[in-house]
């Protein structure tokens, strides 16, 4: 095949061929799409170590896309970097320089490290989220008769927050809870004007993926929050928010997806209350 000539074309080709790739190639594809700035500046050996795959697989991956070697593919990422915003690692380094490096392993030190990385993730998300996608998602939530929510494993706290806030805003919600094994059957009760909000990160919960695929096949609108445009819940989504999960040392934080979920509900409150200046989320204790 003819090798893609720019970064945008490369990403499009990766998406088109992703389902046909081997497991190792899919892992490389995920890393490339989630960490484009790192791909531009690190050697193939360093990237392979971070990805947990042998460097020769990166070379063969590039050749499978029509390049002579990985260097040629990497050139597309380097050209993109010349006009791109700072990457996650660059942000972390800048914040560490501003706040001072942690020299100990105290309890406070762990807190500091998490805060630094969360700030970097939030900054990156702010630049990556499409304002039109936010507006479309809020419109779908506003128009929905019932909002179905699903998120398991690490994603569960995000949908729990959504259920609470949406309920307090007067929206009818159904949490597709895995207990009892009824989530799939509950999803089949969705009506034409309902919407599904699905939250899933690696490693994607099988039941969540299956429900998303079934709901999409029936033509229902889906708002997906995931970690990549290559996520299995991305394909059928009317709106996808890809919040990349970067390399981590001891924790994967939910700060960015929780902030995104809260922003959707605040924007929805502004519409429902016709108040863009000071929308309020009611609380149980305030009733």
């Amino acid at each position: 095949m003819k090798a893609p000539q720019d970064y945008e074309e490369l990403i499009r080709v990766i998406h088109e061929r992703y389902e046909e790739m081997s497991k190792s190639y899919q892992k490389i594809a995920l890393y490339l799409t989630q960490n484009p700035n790192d791909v531009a500046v690190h050697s193939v050996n360093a990237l392979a170590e971070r990805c947990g795959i042998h460097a020769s697989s990166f070379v063969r991956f590039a050749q499978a896309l029509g390049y002579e070697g990985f260097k040629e593919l990497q050139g597309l990422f380097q050209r993109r970097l010349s006009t791109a915003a700072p990457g996650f690692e660059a942000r972390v380094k800048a914040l560490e320089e501003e706040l001072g490096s942690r020299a100990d392993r105290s309890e406070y030190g762990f807190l500091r490290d998490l805060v630094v990385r969360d700030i970097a993730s939030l900054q990156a998300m702010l630049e990556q989220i499409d304002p039109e996608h936010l507006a479309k998602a809020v419109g779908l939530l506003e128009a929905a008769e019932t909002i179905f929510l699903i998120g398991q494993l690490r994603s569960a706290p995000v949908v729990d927050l959504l259920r609470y806030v949406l309920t307090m805003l007067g929206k009818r919600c159904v949490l597709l809870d895995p207990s009892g094994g009824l989530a799939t059957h509950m999803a089949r009760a969705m009506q034409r004007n309902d919407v599904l909000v699905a939250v899933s990160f690696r490693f994607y919960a099988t039941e969540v993926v299956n429900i998303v695929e079934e709901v999409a096949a029936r033509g229902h609108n889906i708002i997906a929050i995931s970690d990549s445009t290559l996520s299995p819940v991305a394909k059928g989504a009317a709106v996808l928010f890809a919040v990349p999960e970067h390399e981590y040392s001891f924790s994967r934080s939910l700060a960015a997806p929780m902030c995104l979920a809260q922003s959707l509900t605040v924007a929805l409150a502004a519409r429902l209350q016709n108040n863009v200046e000071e929308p309020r989320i009611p609380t149980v204790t305030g009733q």
Side-chain angles (χ1 to χ4, degrees):
M1 65 172 291
K2 182 181 178 182
Q5 297 302 299
D6 57 42
Y7 174 80
E8 290 73 19
E9 184 184 0
L10 170 64
I11 298 303
R12 179 181 58 77
V13 170
I14 287 176
H15 277 81
E16 289 175 351
R17 301 184 60 183
Y18 182 76
E19 295 297 332
E20 305 168 1
M21 293 180 181
S22 65
K23 293 295 183 182
S24 61
Y25 279 15
Q26 286 184 346
K27 191 171 183 180
I28 292 172
L30 277 170
Y31 188 86
L32 296 184
T33 55
Q34 287 187 318
N35 305 276
N37 289 5
D38 289 349
V39 175
V41 299
H42 293 295
S43 68
V44 66
N45 289 327
L47 296 174
E49 184 177 350
R50 291 182 174 211
C51 199
I53 292 179
H54 198 276
S56 61
S57 294
F58 275 77
V59 176
R60 290 195 295 271
F61 178 89
Q63 291 172 339
L65 293 176
Y67 300 101
E68 292 186 4
F70 186 76
K71 273 289 184 183
E72 190 178 356
L73 180 150
Q74 189 179 40
L76 274 60
F77 288 83
Q78 292 169 341
R79 290 195 291 275
R80 172 194 172 276
L81 183 59
S82 63
T83 57
F88 177 77
E89 296 298 337
R91 294 179 189 276
V92 169
K93 185 177 180 180
L95 287 165
E96 286 178 338
E97 290 175 353
E98 179 181 346
L99 300 176
S101 297
R102 178 166 65 90
D104 61 73
R105 294 294 171 186
S106 69
E107 290 78 7
Y108 183 82
F110 287 121
L111 171 63
R112 180 203 157 279
D113 270 10
L114 287 168
V115 169
V116 165
R117 297 180 72 81
D118 282 350
I119 292 172
S121 291
L122 289 166
Q123 288 177 336
M125 183 181 69
L126 190 60
E127 294 173 352
Q128 294 168 5
I129 293 296
D130 187 333
E132 292 184 2
H133 288 177
L134 278 172
K136 182 176 181 180
V138 174
L140 290 173
L141 294 174
E142 182 183 20
E145 291 286 340
T146 303
I147 301 170
F148 286 72
L149 304 165
I150 187 165
Q152 297 177 7
L153 306 176
R154 223 163 30 87
S155 305
V158 182
V159 293
D160 280 339
L161 172 67
L162 285 168
R163 178 177 62 163
Y164 171 73
V165 179
L166 291 170
T167 299
M168 296 309 298
L169 288 174
K171 296 297 294 187
R172 186 185 300 126
C173 295
V174 175
L175 177 63
L176 300 178
D177 194 306
S179 62
L182 294 175
T184 299
H185 297 278
M186 292 167 66
R188 290 171 184 162
M190 288 183 68
Q191 301 299 308
R192 184 169 60 88
N193 293 328
D194 297 338
V195 65
L196 173 68
V197 179
V199 186
S200 187
F201 308 105
R202 286 191 300 162
F203 297 90
Y204 312 102
T206 301
E207 187 174 29
V208 173
V209 174
N210 291 342
I211 288 174
V212 168
E213 290 178 348
E214 186 173 317
V215 169
R218 296 204 306 272
H220 293 293
N221 284 318
I222 299 172
I223 300 169
I225 300 176
S226 194
D227 56 356
S228 170
T229 53
L230 294 172
S231 163
V233 303
K235 186 181 297 182
V239 182
L240 169 68
F241 296 107
V243 185
E245 292 191 305
H246 304 280
E247 289 297 306
Y248 73 106
S249 53
F250 45 74
S251 175
R252 281 195 173 104
S253 173
L254 287 174
M258 290 290 269
C259 182
L260 174 61
Q262 193 165 7
S263 72
L264 289 170
T265 57
V266 170
L268 176 61
R271 292 196 185 191
L272 296 176
Q273 298 165 10
N274 194 26
N275 181 3
V276 296
E277 298 296 330
E278 293 184 342
R280 301 299 297 265
I281 304 298
T283 62
V284 172
T285 53
Q287 298 298 305

